Amino acid sequence: MQNTDTAEQSAGTNSAEDRLKALEAESDIAADYLEELLDIADLDGDIDMDIDGDRAAVSIVGAELNNLVGEKGKVLEALQELTRLAVYRETGERSRLMLDVSNYRANRKAELEEVGRKAVEEAKATGTPVRLDPMTPFERKVVHDVVAAAGLTSESEGEEPRRRVVVQP
């Protein structure tokens, strides 16, 4: 019986190792794609790669990169999708890669966590659902996580691009 347990543990380890290698490969492909893009656009930026939980995370940092973020992160969202497509083209696998430029997402996440906390407080105080402004999928996920951590429930309603979070009391 011990041999079976060892084999199962080994298979689980190999699976985890394989997943880590796949995420590292996604990061490498994304970094190469983004390096080319920066060269074509004649922009200076450094590429940082990381694994964040179960997804590859790639960041571009530099001084003059606001054009890669765009108004309310719209260019960043599009660039992330293009980067995911580049990864898909190379691997044949759908990517959940997260792209950040000049810490836009990190800063936005902090802002959204505060929005989520205020919505939780309001829902508890008034006993009525709190409807937030429309958000991107990334933004909604941040708020849903804050609401869940506070012990309340939330749901998304509406159609893209007007989809919003509703915090339930």
Side-chain angles (χ1 to χ4, degrees), residues 54-69:
D54 63 344
R55 67 171 58 189
V58 178
S59 297
I60 306 173
V61 291
E64 301 295 324
L65 299 174
N66 289 340
N67 288 339
L68 294 181
V69 174

Side-chain angles (χ1 to χ4, degrees), residues 17-35 47-59 79-99:
E17 287 174 11
D18 291 345
R19 183 67 186 138
L20 181 61
K21 286 179 183 177
L23 291 173
E24 288 171 348
E26 282 186 31
S27 293
D28 288 339
I29 294 165
D32 290 344
Y33 175 78
L34 293 166
E35 286 280 353
I47 309 281
D48 291 333
M49 299 180 295
D50 197 9
I51 305 300
D52 184 12
D54 63 344
R55 67 171 58 189
V58 178
S59 297
L79 184 56
Q80 176 175 277
E81 287 306 311
L82 289 172
T83 305
R84 287 177 174 177
L85 284 172
V87 170
Y88 178 77
R89 184 186 68 216
E90 294 291 320
T91 66
E93 298 289 326
R94 184 178 172 274
S95 173
R96 295 182 58 235
L97 176 129
M98 184 63 67
L99 177 63

